Amino acid sequence: MKKLLTILLLASMSFTFTACDSWLDVNNNVDAPDYVTEDLYLAGILSSLGQGNYWDIRATSVLSQGMGTYNSTYSYYANNFYYKSSDSAAEMWRVVYWLHGMNLENMINQALENESYRLAGIGYAIKAFDWDMLTKLHGEVPMKQAYEPGRLSHDYDYQDEVYTQVREWAKTAIEYLEMEDNTDYGNRLKDADLMYAGDASKWIKFAHSVIVRNLSSLTNKNDFTSAYAQDLITHAGLAMSSNEDNATVYRLGGGNEAQFSNYNNSWGVCRGTGTDGYYASDFLVQVMTGTMPLYDEVTGDKVQADPDPETGEISEIYPFALAPKQYVADTSKAKGHFDPRVTAKIGTVDANTYANMSNVDSIKSWIYYGGSFTTQAGPIGNAANLWGSRTGYNSNSSRDGSGRWLYEESAPYILMTASEIQFCLAETYWKLGQKGNALAAFKKGIALDLEFTATYLDPGAPKKTGEAEDGTPIYAAYGDRPGGDVVAPATFKQLAAEYQAGPYVDGMTEDELTLSHIMLQKFVALFPWGSTENWVDLRKYHYDIKYTGEYPSLNNGWTLATVDQKWDSDETKVYKGFYLAPAQVQNRRSKYNEENHGSPCYRIRPRYNSEYMWNKPALDALKPIGGREENYQCSIPWFAYPGDMPKN
């Protein structure tokens, strides 16, 4: 453990000093070296990658309607979709150009010079992942001139070029990782590699997976089936295939006692940078619990539920009629209809005593409420905080232990999983008309995510404080541990087996399977760690906006005040139940900021305190919308255009 701490500390020091000019050599300070062995870069690079991804999820999770937030900064992304002059949501920009930047370049170059091909391959794999994520967030980015010495400004490269280069870097990574490497790393590489402990075979799968993820964002392009689909299938066959292959960055944890706060997962209770003020959205809750409402397509209002035949009253819990078709689960308590992943991924106020963690009937009866864009008050009730049972629960209050599931201090950062690869395959096979292969990949993707979800369950413990007169135990509101998950792992696995055997997974047939089933299951599987990729998918399908021609535009999909969105009854709508803020349905009907010109957000602006301070001419040169135009955040990226991106 001490060894790991030392590596992390040295790595973070190297991030500061490796870029210094040679005149600093006069002070050869062993505590602040200007040269370090290449493996010492790696721990800091991986740590910052995991954290950078999670920090930007504060924006992409709400842009994709997986979460809502009342966070004062990120509520702009949740509701208004317009740019605010700050560096929010540009952490991966900082990671790619600064925290990794020349540190990653130096690591790769030093490794090649020393014929340490495994480490060089790891570097190229990380570089491919970095730039794939960067361009999906921001669109056009400076790439070719990024690290040219002496430059004070950098021209932007268009996304189609960046996409091609990402795949080339990933293929270069594979080439080096497959080469014979006679370097005696000892334990250095194993200790510094916080993801795969130096296992070249795992890194090869990671690089193939980066290519799959890159190509998967192109599934709605006109030439996808002819130009990209077979490559995706080929690389998927060599990519992650089990949860043992998942890309997860180790966290030491330790809470307030940790030597350095960033040893804790940034979503954990101690740091709270990703979960304070965040909660599940009404859209996510409706999808996962099978409570997508039925809308009156004339008024846009939700259809009221029928009164209970015995009481004559309408349920407070389910006051709205449900859509006739649900895609992930439904409210039936019949065997196989309940998706247990909801118990881990979404908080509920019904399970704050840890008293019924093995009681199947009790677990199935818990109620989940989704919040609105910027408040926990949703259309039915108040959403619970993601990491615990209590509403209003944050890192500054007396807290329930160290959190739960992925919202826990020592939980790893999740970058990619084998489940995601299967959903990319399922969508590709669907586009090719190979429904049998699509169904097989679909089922495997769900099975892998059920297993993945169970892996990180760490249940809390009930605290008995007394007994009622009839002998019934009385439990404290928050557990003895306190904190932890509210379902026992064995019980979760029992419920998962029932769900997998039920109508939404193994019972699904080729005739029943739709693209909506695939993409909504992918949405659930990637929540919350893969929210950026969920946002990619929503954008490539243009948020299910109704328009004519190849892509939406002002007065062809939206006006300055409203968005014309497909109804759930439309067979071409992919994300059933999803409606943007100005969609003119109940619980939406708000208006975007006027700077958006009526459009939803399609990209996040570059980092303010670099590009908008000193790289303005390069921003002005961007087409079709200049980078300093007030609606640049609404410029559609290349991957979402069915054809070429217009540059005029």
Side-chain angles (χ1 to χ4, degrees):
M1 199 66 75
K2 287 183 178 179
K3 196 171 196 179
L4 175 63
L5 294 175
T6 302
I7 287 172
L8 283 168
L9 183 57
L10 285 173
S12 64
M13 289 165 58
S14 74
F15 271 43
T16 304
F17 293 100
T18 52
C20 295
D21 291 329
S22 58
W23 60 267
L24 285 177
D25 291 344
V26 298
N27 297 317
N28 188 15
N29 184 348
V30 296
D31 294 321
D34 58 7
Y35 179 89
V36 295
T37 57
E38 56 269 21
D39 56 283
L40 286 179
Y41 289 103
L42 186 55
I45 285 171
L46 287 172
S47 181
S48 62
L49 175 57
Q51 177 173 283
N53 176 32
Y54 271 34
W55 281 14
D56 280 349
I57 285 172
R58 290 176 294 181
T60 58
S61 64
V62 294
L63 284 165
S64 60
Q65 287 191 36
M67 298 185 198
T69 183
Y70 53 80
N71 179 292
S72 59
T73 297
Y74 290 90
S75 61
Y76 286 99
Y77 297 98
N79 199 14
N80 299 313
F81 281 5
Y82 77 98
Y83 173 64
K84 183 183 178 185
S85 298
S86 77
D87 287 343
S88 65
E91 185 63 21
M92 279 304 299
W93 191 280
R94 180 173 179 263
V95 166
V96 171
Y97 290 115
W98 182 51
L99 292 177
H100 289 189
M102 287 307 300
N103 294 292
L104 182 55
E105 297 300 302
N106 288 342
M107 187 186 89
I108 292 171
N109 292 334
Q110 289 175 209
L112 290 174
E113 183 179 347
N114 296 331
E115 298 184 353
S116 301
Y117 298 121
R118 182 182 303 183
L119 188 60
I122 291 171
Y124 272 110
I126 294 171
K127 188 172 184 178
F129 182 94
D130 277 1
W131 286 83
D132 182 66
M133 179 164 285
L134 182 73
T135 189
K136 286 174 177 174
L137 286 164
H138 302 287
E140 281 60 62
V141 292
M143 180 184 68
K144 296 171 186 173
Q145 299 176 353
Y147 306 123
E148 287 185 10
R151 275 198 166 274
L152 297 179
S153 62
H154 300 80
D155 294 337
Y156 278 68
D157 297 286
Y158 283 90
Q159 190 175 69
D160 54 345
E161 297 179 282
V162 181
Y163 261 56
T164 299
Q165 187 60 66
V166 163
R167 296 194 294 275
E168 288 304 312
W169 281 327
K171 291 173 184 176
T172 300
I174 294 164
E175 290 175 8
Y176 282 125
L177 287 162
E178 290 178 339
M179 289 173 65
E180 183 178 357
D181 186 347
N182 295 318
T183 304
D184 181 10
Y185 293 106
N187 286 323
R188 291 179 297 129
L189 182 56
K190 180 180 178 181
D191 291 339
D193 183 356
L194 303 179
M195 196 152 75
Y196 291 131
D199 187 333
S201 65
K202 292 282 201 305
W203 277 106
I204 289 171
K205 291 181 179 181
F206 175 86
H208 283 294
S209 300
V210 171
I211 295 174
V212 172
R213 179 185 265 193
N214 177 271
L215 294 173
S216 178
S217 63
L218 307 179
T219 57
N220 210 33
K221 294 191 81 67
N222 294 333
D223 60 349
F224 174 73
T225 57
S226 60
Y228 303 109
Q230 189 53 56
D231 277 351
L232 188 153
I233 292 169
T234 298
H235 286 286
L238 301 168
M240 302 171 183
S241 59
S242 76
N243 283 314
E244 295 298 315
D245 301 329
N246 292 347
T248 63
V249 180
Y250 172 75
R251 293 288 84 197
L252 183 62
N256 289 326
E257 304 302 317
Q259 184 177 0
F260 299 100
S261 65
N262 65 1
Y263 286 172
N264 296 305
N265 188 305
S266 65
W267 282 352
V269 178
C270 180
R271 298 177 70 190
T273 54
T275 41
D276 272 3
Y278 284 79
Y279 45 85
S281 71
D282 57 349
F283 167 68
L284 178 70
V285 170
Q286 289 162 8
V287 168
M288 291 198 71
T289 60
T291 54
M292 286 191 286
L294 178 65
Y295 290 93
D296 183 323
E297 296 184 8
V298 175
T299 66
D301 291 338
K302 297 175 184 177
V303 177
Q304 289 293 311
D306 292 330
D308 184 287
E310 294 184 4
T311 66
E313 297 180 353
I314 294 176
S315 169
E316 293 182 359
I317 299 173
Y318 302 115
F320 305 115
L322 302 182
K325 189 171 185 178
Q326 305 289 330
Y327 290 82
V328 172
D330 60 30
T331 53
S332 168
K333 301 301 187 291
K335 193 172 184 179
H337 288 246
F338 172 77
D339 183 351
R341 289 175 294 181
V342 71
T343 64
K345 299 194 178 199
I346 302 176
T348 172
V349 296
D350 280 354
N352 62 3
T353 66
Y354 309 98
N356 294 294
M357 296 185 294
S358 298
N359 186 321
V360 170
D361 291 335
S362 176
I363 291 168
K364 287 183 176 182
S365 71
W366 295 340
I367 303 300
Y368 299 85
Y369 297 113
S372 62
F373 294 121
T374 57
T375 175
Q376 285 179 273
I380 300 175
N382 291 336
N385 188 290
L386 281 172
W387 69 42
S389 306
R390 187 172 12 161
T391 55
Y393 172 49
N394 60 62
S395 60
N396 296 318
S397 65
S398 58
R399 53 184 182 263
D400 262 356
S402 60
R404 65 177 188 86
W405 198 54
L406 297 183
Y407 321 113
E408 200 268 337
E409 320 269 49
S410 61
Y413 290 125
I414 313 298
L415 299 182
M416 280 194 295
T417 68
S419 174
E420 178 184 355
I421 301 304
Q422 291 302 310
F423 286 117
C424 294
L425 259 181
E427 183 187 12
T428 299
Y429 282 130
W430 176 269
K431 295 283 183 173
L432 291 170
Q434 299 179 26
K435 293 192 69 173
N437 288 334
L439 181 63
F442 167 81
K443 290 180 178 181
K444 185 174 181 181
I446 299 170
L448 284 167
D449 189 55
L450 288 165
E451 181 183 73
F452 164 84
T453 305
T455 299
Y456 299 103
L457 290 174
D458 185 12
K463 181 179 181 181
K464 183 178 176 181
T465 59
E467 291 184 353
E469 291 183 2
D470 62 359
T472 303
I474 298 174
Y475 294 103
Y478 304 100
D480 187 36
R481 195 165 176 258
D485 288 284
V486 295
V487 59
T491 306
F492 180 92
K493 291 175 182 178
Q494 174 192 337
L495 290 167
E498 291 179 2
Y499 176 68
Q500 189 172 337
Y504 289 97
V505 191
D506 289 348
M508 184 68 62
T509 66
E510 288 184 33
D511 291 338
E512 293 174 316
L513 183 68
T514 66
L515 187 57
S516 294
H517 285 103
I518 294 169
M519 300 311 296
L520 286 171
Q521 281 283 3
K522 182 182 181 184
F523 192 96
V524 170
L526 268 60
F527 180 82
W529 59 268
S531 293
T532 299
E533 285 299 309
N534 278 337
W535 188 42
V536 168
D537 290 336
L538 280 161
R539 286 179 288 162
K540 76 185 181 188
Y541 287 115
H542 295 288
Y543 298 101
D544 282 311
I545 292 169
K546 189 176 180 180
Y547 58 91
T548 59
E550 288 206 323
Y551 52 88
S553 59
L554 182 63
N555 298 319
N556 181 26
W558 58 73
T559 68
L560 293 177
T562 64
V563 169
D564 186 9
Q565 198 141 25
K566 296 176 183 176
W567 292 106
D568 291 340
S569 59
D570 188 331
E571 291 185 0
T572 67
K573 182 172 182 177
V574 177
Y575 287 89
K576 308 292 188 181
F578 183 93
Y579 291 93
L580 291 165
Q584 301 308 296
V585 297
Q586 190 172 345
N587 302 123
R588 295 300 188 258
R589 292 183 177 136
S590 58
K591 184 179 177 181
Y592 290 145
N593 183 274
E594 62 183 12
E595 294 180 3
N596 277 40
H597 299 191
S599 170
C601 182
Y602 272 92
R603 64 176 71 201
I604 293 172
R605 285 179 178 253
R607 194 170 178 89
Y608 180 79
N609 279 308
S610 61
E611 304 310 288
Y612 291 90
M613 297 296 288
W614 56 265
N615 209 20
K616 295 177 182 178
L619 287 167
D620 289 336
L622 292 174
K623 304 294 183 183
I625 301 176
R628 287 204 294 161
E629 295 296 323
E630 64 180 10
N631 64 330
Y632 178 64
Q633 65 275 5
C634 302
S635 182
I636 299 173
W638 171 78
F639 75 75
Y641 280 101
D644 292 332
M645 180 178 177
K647 296 180 182 178
N648 52 50

